[in-house]
Amino acid sequence: MKKKVFLVLVLMSSLLLLTGCSKKAITIEEFTSSVDTDKYIVGEYESDQIDTIIEGLERGAYITNGAFNINFYVLSNPAQAIDLFRLYKEEFESQDADETKKYTIKADDYEIYELIIDAMYNYICRVKNTLVYVSANAEDKDEVKSIIKNIGY
């Protein structure tokens, strides 16, 4: 009985800590300078590439090595970033495949969704009005996760 009470208290404390946590939103410049440019191609989307496809998109950048792209978006406000997060999440979940792993977290100013299905690794993270989006081969997962960790997302 004491073990159950202790476990419930630990779980509740963890939940409170998670909901009170926050992440720092980074800038385009922080994103593009976060990797070795000898190993990756890094760039910012041109203004003519930023159109009505993503509502509220102000700036966008990418990191690629030819095998995968990590996209970073700055939107006009958090509500538009939330909408884009939901759109990508629905896109991932609509894929007709066997789910092998799903991870999700939601806090005050950020949310993370990670899904591995078949041979694909999918990751989105929203922090305030910014969003990181990746859909890559599962074999590139560790490299992608390393970059994401490096930028704090």
Side-chain angles (χ1 to χ4, degrees), residues 92-100 115-120:
F92 290 159
E93 291 176 337
S94 70
Q95 296 175 26
D96 188 25
D98 293 329
E99 175 185 312
T100 57
L115 179 65
I116 300 171
I117 49 176
D118 290 340
M120 294 302 295

Side-chain angles (χ1 to χ4, degrees), residues 121-140:
Y121 174 70
N122 301 289
Y123 181 89
I124 40 176
C125 177
R126 178 194 61 82
V127 179
K128 298 179 178 140
N129 67 318
T130 65
L131 188 117
V132 169
Y133 166 83
V134 182
S135 185
N137 290 322
E139 64 198 30
D140 297 316

Side-chain angles (χ1 to χ4, degrees), residues 14-34:
S14 298
L15 182 60
L16 287 173
L17 285 173
L18 284 175
T19 57
C21 292
S22 65
K23 286 185 173 282
K24 176 190 173 289
I26 63 170
T27 64
I28 291 279
E29 292 73 23
E30 290 170 314
F31 176 78
T32 56
S33 66
S34 66

Side-chain angles (χ1 to χ4, degrees), residues 2 5-6 12 14 22-24 28 65 76 79 87 111 118 123 126 140-142 144 151:
K2 287 182 182 180
V5 171
F6 177 74
M12 288 176 58
S14 298
S22 65
K23 286 185 173 282
K24 176 190 173 289
I28 291 279
N65 67 355
S76 300
L87 179 72
E111 47 191 326
D118 290 340
Y123 181 89
R126 178 194 61 82
D140 297 316
K141 177 183 77 161
D142 293 337
V144 168
I151 64 171

Side-chain angles (χ1 to χ4, degrees), residues 4 7 19 25 33 39 44-46 51 68 80 111 113 122 129 135 143 146:
K4 287 182 182 179
L7 184 60
T19 57
S33 66
K39 189 174 179 182
E44 186 171 347
Y45 293 113
E46 299 295 323
D51 56 18
F68 61 81
Q80 289 172 321
E111 47 191 326
Y113 183 77
N122 301 289
N129 67 318
S135 185
E143 187 175 357
S146 175

